[in-house]
Amino acid sequence: MRFLPLFLFAILFSGVAQAQTSSDSVWLRNRAVGQSSFVYRLIRQEYITNENDYFLDAKIDTAYIHFQRMGPVTDTGSVYRVLFAHNDDPKKLIRCDSWIPGDTAELIVSFNTGGKVTHLVNWKRFRDALASSMSKQVQAGLISGAEFEEKRQTLNQEAIVRRLVMEDIQYVFHLSGDTTLIDAEYLRVKPVRSPFSGEDYYLRGSMKVKAIPGSSSLLLSAANRAESEEKQWLMQECKAYMLEQGGQDAAPLTELKGVGLNSEQEFHYEPSQRLFYRVILSDVLVINNQSRGNIRQWDLWDLYE
């Protein structure tokens, strides 16, 4: 079964089969990759709720992600230019700031024949932009020269730059081309970035594969949550962050009782059409029972032969 080795190899995903009640398997081939172009509608929602689940703040934004093929499909895959736009008409694109604030450079992304992202072709363009931003932080006294040099060396790797500027896009396609069992549950470890330090926490969790009743579609739902050990580390990071925001000699404004971090994902797949028609990515930070959520819903909007 190819599903497990690919997950162990992938940067953003690892897993092992735990339980399965059916021998039926499905090849998650993504037919969208290979078309001349395709469009996803992206709905982003950010919210804050209090301990009683009342919304204190909510924001919603809609954009369209255009994938336009560059050149023919080859034996190894295809290359697409990716545009983040305000509308869904590929002939009347109005680009909007996306991957780096104030930077409208388009992504050039390569996919394999199964539909999985393999490479950010113009990654050096974004590496240089990120390095320039860090250089300004050194000039402003926000980071030291040694910290800058360490981060600059880290940025000299395509896989790291790819994740920094297009992590969601990479994750939307990361199941493409794999094989899964129906009515199976997979144990997974997923890296989730700390909102305080920016470092990864490898959160344990699982993914369940179910047929959607009344349809021929599959739902692959996953959840990864910080456990007691990670919560203690997050607590220390949060304390340090609150002290920094309040000044070196200031105490936190509120007593810190608990910090949690959750990541959930849903992949809706139609085997007969060989398409992921909806992907929902959700990250939630909980501080003292107050939740801060970030939900991104990707809906396949159009295909062009």
Side-chain angles (χ1 to χ4, degrees):
M1 185 171 62
R2 294 192 307 117
F3 194 70
L4 302 182
L6 284 172
F7 278 4
L8 290 170
F9 178 77
I11 295 174
L12 297 180
F13 196 94
S14 63
V16 59
Q18 179 188 41
Q20 53 227 21
T21 59
S22 170
S23 60
D24 293 337
S25 64
V26 177
W27 180 32
L28 303 174
R29 173 72 170 86
N30 193 342
R31 184 171 61 87
V33 178
Q35 304 298 315
S36 63
S37 64
F38 57 95
V39 181
Y40 272 91
R41 182 184 64 178
L42 171 59
I43 302 175
R44 295 183 293 196
Q45 304 174 64
E46 297 181 8
Y47 66 85
I48 301 175
T49 62
N50 63 17
E51 60 276 7
N52 297 317
D53 289 332
Y54 287 107
F55 284 92
L56 303 178
D57 188 28
K59 298 177 182 178
I60 187 168
D61 176 62
T62 301
Y64 296 87
I65 314 300
H66 292 250
F67 296 80
Q68 301 177 341
R69 198 182 73 221
M70 303 174 66
V73 178
T74 68
D75 292 338
T76 58
S78 49
V79 176
Y80 283 79
R81 60 198 295 257
V82 184
L83 298 177
F84 184 97
H86 284 307
N87 58 64
D88 61 343
D89 187 343
K91 297 179 181 179
K92 299 178 181 179
L93 289 179
I94 303 173
R95 294 190 201 176
C96 52
D97 295 348
S98 176
W99 325 112
I100 300 175
D103 191 338
T104 57
E106 62 192 28
L107 301 167
I108 308 297
V109 180
S110 63
F111 295 82
N112 65 18
T113 54
K116 191 186 302 292
V117 172
T118 59
H119 198 74
L120 175 58
V121 178
N122 60 335
W123 69 277
K124 292 182 179 180
R125 165 72 176 78
F126 296 94
R127 175 202 63 186
D128 294 345
L130 291 166
S132 176
S133 175
M134 289 191 302
S135 178
K136 293 178 181 178
Q137 292 179 26
V138 174
Q139 296 173 10
L142 299 176
I143 62 174
S144 67
E147 290 175 316
F148 167 77
E149 184 59 27
E150 180 181 357
K151 292 182 178 181
R152 189 184 67 82
Q153 291 295 333
T154 300
L155 284 176
N156 206 28
Q157 302 176 58
E158 182 272 334
I160 289 178
V161 173
R162 187 200 322 156
R163 184 182 175 196
L164 286 173
V165 301
M166 51 171 285
E167 180 174 10
D168 274 5
I169 292 179
Q170 179 167 278
Y171 210 76
V172 164
F173 292 93
H174 90 284
L175 292 180
S176 297
D178 290 342
T179 301
T180 185
L181 295 173
I182 300 177
D183 291 331
E185 181 172 356
Y186 296 87
L187 297 181
R188 311 185 340 150
V189 176
K190 181 179 184 292
V192 179
R193 190 175 290 111
S194 166
F196 308 112
S197 67
E199 301 296 329
D200 280 336
Y201 281 91
Y202 289 84
L203 304 184
R204 291 177 289 274
S206 64
M207 183 181 75
K208 298 179 181 179
V209 184
K210 295 289 184 182
I212 299 177
S215 75
S216 59
S217 298
L218 294 180
L219 173 61
L220 299 91
S221 57
N224 299 77
R225 295 181 173 85
E227 298 180 5
S228 57
E229 186 176 11
E230 291 92 359
K231 287 180 178 179
Q232 290 301 315
W233 294 338
L234 285 164
M235 176 91 77
Q236 296 304 316
E237 287 188 6
C238 186
K239 286 180 180 178
Y241 177 81
M242 293 172 71
L243 284 169
E244 181 179 345
Q245 295 300 307
Q248 295 297 324
D249 301 323
L253 298 178
T254 58
E255 180 184 358
L256 193 58
K257 299 178 180 178
V259 180
L261 184 62
N262 306 329
S263 178
E264 298 183 3
Q265 311 91 47
E266 289 186 2
F267 297 86
H268 297 253
Y269 183 76
E270 175 51 64
S272 63
Q273 296 295 320
R274 305 194 308 278
L275 291 171
F276 286 93
Y277 61 90
R278 174 170 294 166
V279 178
I280 302 174
L281 308 175
S282 176
D283 297 304
V284 179
L285 172 68
V286 181
I287 301 176
N288 290 354
N289 296 319
Q290 183 183 84
S291 299
R292 299 170 181 266
N294 181 13
I295 303 172
R296 291 90 68 204
Q297 177 173 312
W298 293 69
D299 294 318
L300 183 60
W301 196 249
D302 215 339
L303 284 173
Y304 298 87
E305 300 292 339

